[in-house]
Amino acid sequence: MSHIRIVVESGSDISPELAAKYGISVVPMHVAFDDDVREDGTFDPQEVVDFYTRTGRTPKTSGSNTEDFSRIFDQIHSEDPEAGILYLAYSAATTVSYSCGVAAMEGRDYVRAVDTKMVTIGQAMIAVCMAEKLLKHPEWDLDRAKEEAEKLVKIAHVSFVPRNLDFLRAGGRCTNSTALIGNILHIVPLIDTIDGLLVATKKYRGRFSSVITKMMTEYTEQYHLSKDRLFIALTPGFEETLKEVIRKTAENLSYHNLVWLNTGGVITTHGGAGAFGIAGLSEDGVRD
């Protein structure tokens, strides 16, 4: 069995079940409901939606701090002094978490860091895939594990579509007029992750069920995503009927293994209610 432990932030949206299965430790990010600052993962993300409904504003999010990382690193080291730690970081371009994690590595030569350039299920996917590789290769040392994780980063893709533009407007990511027109015309953006940055790469128009089908078809084909599995993220309020659209679309595209994950407070704050995302690995190993 590998003597390397994986660490991710809560913004990866990895489930407690997957974290327990693979021995992955989760460092909390933070969500502020005005003066009430909470650790992501300690509250129902529906509270984010309720806060927006009540105030018309979204909570504020912040990354994991150096103390958060130090606490987790020390806990792992105390439990197993011989274990190496591979920190697979939430995109460094979007948060201070990575720099705080690196700062916490000072004096801890048993830790290595890799910027996954991913958020939400993209980060979770890399962590799970890396954990599986470590189970197959217990002989890998920490530096070899870091190299292999960096290879996964190069072929990983994650994207999501919000149900509407209300949360993007409330969070200052689009104007009131853009949100109003977009909602009236049923226009939603595709938010892609490119070199660690969240970028709106195209727009879809129509019923959300049709958007789901078109987005999944185009995205999986564009990046030649492996048929092995897809990771699916859902924010609070995602309807069961739309889950069935995802299942049927995936089946039609020959994806029979879906890993369903629910977003936590950080990602719900940015994605809003009823949003969904997908993540996969390019089977040809080349990022377009």
Side-chain angles (χ1 to χ4, degrees):
M1 185 169 180
S2 175
H3 246 60
I4 297 175
R5 294 277 299 274
I6 292 174
V7 169
V8 296
E9 292 95 338
S10 61
S12 66
D13 293 324
I14 192 166
S15 67
E17 293 77 17
L18 284 177
K21 178 180 179 179
Y22 293 109
I24 296 171
S25 296
V26 180
V27 183
M29 299 174 89
H30 304 275
V31 181
F33 298 84
D34 291 330
D35 294 330
D36 181 14
V37 182
R38 306 188 208 171
E39 290 188 349
D40 188 21
T42 63
F43 60 90
D44 187 338
Q46 178 63 39
E47 292 189 40
V48 172
V49 179
D50 295 342
F51 181 84
Y52 168 76
T53 301
R54 187 172 65 253
T55 67
R57 296 179 288 110
T58 58
K60 302 296 183 183
T61 62
S62 58
S64 308
N65 59 46
T66 303
E67 291 182 0
D68 294 325
F69 284 104
S70 295
R71 183 173 66 252
I72 296 297
F73 291 164
D74 287 345
Q75 178 183 331
I76 294 172
H77 191 62
S78 175
E79 294 171 354
D80 187 355
E82 299 302 316
I85 298 175
L86 182 63
Y87 163 42
L88 300 176
Y90 193 97
S91 173
T94 65
T95 177
V96 299
S97 280
Y98 181 73
S99 59
C100 289
V102 170
M105 290 169 54
E106 185 174 353
R108 297 178 171 91
D109 60 2
Y110 50 87
V111 185
R112 300 290 186 277
V114 174
D115 177 7
T116 68
K117 300 183 179 180
M118 293 278 109
V119 300
T120 184
I121 53 171
Q123 184 187 11
M125 174 182 65
I126 290 176
V128 168
C129 291
M130 194 62 218
E132 292 173 343
K133 285 180 177 290
L134 289 172
L135 288 174
K136 293 179 181 178
H137 298 280
E139 76 280 4
W140 285 355
D141 63 14
L142 197 51
D143 289 324
R144 173 65 185 277
K146 181 176 183 290
E147 291 176 5
E148 294 297 327
E150 290 169 341
K151 292 178 183 178
L152 285 175
V153 171
K154 294 178 181 178
I155 61 172
H157 303 274
V158 63
S159 185
F160 73 94
V161 287
R163 184 62 182 269
N164 57 56
L165 301 180
D166 292 341
F167 266 64
L168 294 177
R169 175 200 57 77
R173 296 175 182 84
C174 72
T175 64
N176 286 338
S177 59
T178 297
L180 178 62
I181 294 172
N183 288 341
I184 291 174
L185 299 178
H186 301 290
I187 295 174
V188 296
L190 172 71
I191 309 298
D192 207 347
T193 306
I194 300 176
D195 292 329
L197 295 171
L198 301 178
V199 181
T201 55
K202 65 172 63 176
K203 296 178 181 178
Y204 289 108
R205 180 175 179 178
R207 294 172 61 88
F208 202 59
S209 57
S210 299
V211 169
I212 289 172
T213 299
K214 189 170 184 180
M215 180 269 204
M216 290 182 66
T217 302
E218 292 182 349
Y219 197 75
T220 55
E221 292 178 352
Q222 177 184 358
Y223 290 112
H224 312 291
L225 298 186
S226 170
K227 302 296 183 181
D228 177 55
R229 62 186 159 188
L230 286 178
F231 283 68
I232 306 293
L234 304 177
T235 66
F238 198 88
E239 298 99 319
E240 189 62 42
T241 54
L242 293 178
K243 293 180 185 178
E244 188 59 28
V245 172
I246 294 174
R247 293 187 187 98
K248 289 182 177 179
T249 302
E251 184 176 349
N252 291 337
L253 294 170
S254 298
Y255 290 95
H256 302 292
N257 184 9
L258 302 181
V259 180
W260 300 85
L261 298 176
N262 295 314
T263 63
V266 168
I267 300 302
T268 298
T269 297
H270 297 299
F276 97 105
I278 62 174
L281 298 174
S282 291
E283 57 186 359
D284 58 8
V286 177
R287 180 181 289 273
D288 291 344

